[in-house]
Amino acid sequence: MSIILFRSLLLYILVIFAVRLMGKRQLGELQPSELVITILVSNIATLPLEDVNIPVIVGVTPILSLVCIEVIMSWLILRFPKLRKMVSGSPKIIIRNGVIDVNTLKELRLSVDDLMTAMRGSDVFDLNEVQYAIVETTGSFSVMKKQSDDTPVRSDLLKNVKCEDPPVLVVSDGKILDNALSSLGFDVNTVENVLKRAGKKLDDVLLMTVERSGKCYIAWNDGGKPFADKVGDCNDKS
């Protein structure tokens, strides 16, 4: 039993290392070569677990070899565009200028149901709203709506909006993240002053975010109403 547990732990760590080495991708975002490697690695890893008579090295060696092949192939694909097209294919336009390309649809062996499912997955329920639709090499769909049917942004409404970075997490589970706080130009006194105004302690904080402008948001461990300070109030370091 201990041998099986040791083998399981070893192969578990090895597969995690292999997946991490190949890069961060969701299953639906894998290129064909990456998907093949992932399937092979998972199958090879089960062999030493199912049969204790098979040496662990029999599973370790091919897994490492496949990962090395994938890393080398990734480098070659980046270096040589023609090879990238051969291995990964190229994006296909299935709707151009609002018109469905039937030939491309047949080439990709996509049915009308497949097309409608993909459109609904992109929050499109009326094909008349689509200007362009592309099938990516990963099999995912990228959809561009017609300008008349697309959601307007603030610039379309002639609103002058200042571009700002997203809020930064500065307190997590009652612990101050010093590097994040200092990156905003604030210090521990900033957090203490805000908590003093809220009548709470650091241990009461589930999370706290701060914008570069000084606007704060705090969620509490007890599930109470979140605390939001006014812009600029967080910069009080007195």
Side-chain angles (χ1 to χ4, degrees):
M1 180 64 70
S2 59
I3 295 178
I4 295 177
L5 290 176
F6 174 76
R7 286 176 170 230
S8 301
L9 180 61
L10 178 62
L11 290 170
Y12 173 74
I13 295 174
L14 180 62
V15 171
I16 289 180
F17 169 77
V19 173
R20 289 278 293 162
L21 189 62
M22 288 190 294
K24 294 182 178 180
R25 286 182 185 266
Q26 298 179 7
L27 183 61
E29 297 176 346
L30 293 176
Q31 297 289 346
S33 60
E34 295 169 335
L35 180 60
V36 170
I37 293 295
T38 303
I39 294 173
L40 289 176
V41 167
S42 63
N43 288 335
I44 292 172
T46 60
L47 296 178
L49 297 179
E50 294 175 348
D51 188 352
V52 294
N53 295 319
I54 299 177
V56 176
I57 193 67
V58 173
V60 172
T61 302
I63 289 177
L64 292 179
S65 300
L66 288 172
V67 172
C68 291
I69 292 173
E70 171 57 25
V71 172
I72 294 172
M73 181 62 70
S74 298
W75 181 83
L76 292 174
I77 286 175
L78 289 174
R79 190 71 182 273
F80 303 103
K82 290 184 178 180
L83 179 62
R84 178 168 63 245
K85 188 174 181 179
M86 290 175 57
V87 174
S88 301
S90 58
K92 300 289 185 180
I93 300 175
I94 57 172
I95 298 180
R96 188 194 304 267
N97 295 325
V99 179
I100 298 175
D101 190 328
V102 179
N103 293 328
T104 303
L105 209 60
K106 291 180 179 179
E107 180 184 345
L108 297 175
R109 295 186 296 278
L110 292 175
S111 66
V112 173
D113 290 337
D114 294 330
L115 178 61
M116 295 304 298
T117 300
M119 293 299 104
R120 289 192 294 269
S122 299
D123 294 328
V124 174
F125 291 83
D126 185 356
L127 288 178
N128 191 46
E129 298 178 357
V130 181
Q131 178 71 16
Y132 265 80
I134 301 174
V135 180
E136 307 293 353
T137 56
T138 58
S140 60
F141 284 69
S142 298
V143 179
M144 173 183 158
K145 289 185 177 181
K146 295 177 180 177
Q147 282 76 4
S148 58
D149 295 302
D150 202 4
T151 304
V153 296
R154 293 181 181 179
S155 59
D156 295 328
L157 302 176
L158 302 179
K159 298 290 186 181
N160 294 324
V161 181
K162 182 180 179 181
C163 296
E164 295 182 351
D165 293 335
V168 177
L169 181 67
V170 298
V171 179
S172 176
D173 291 322
K175 295 181 180 179
I176 296 178
L177 307 179
D178 294 322
N179 292 337
L181 192 60
S182 60
S183 69
L184 297 171
F186 299 121
D187 55 24
V188 177
N189 291 333
T190 304
V191 177
E192 293 176 348
N193 290 335
V194 174
L195 293 177
K196 186 182 298 183
R197 289 195 292 272
K200 296 282 189 176
K201 298 180 180 179
L202 187 60
D203 292 338
D204 298 325
V205 179
L206 175 64
L207 65 87
M208 175 178 178
T209 61
V210 181
E211 297 180 11
R212 194 164 295 276
S213 62
K215 188 175 181 180
C216 305
Y217 172 87
I218 305 177
W220 310 109
N221 279 320
D222 59 6
K225 183 179 179 181
F227 179 80
D229 239 356
K230 295 181 180 179
V231 176
D233 287 353
C234 289
N235 206 10
D236 180 9
K237 300 180 182 180
S238 60

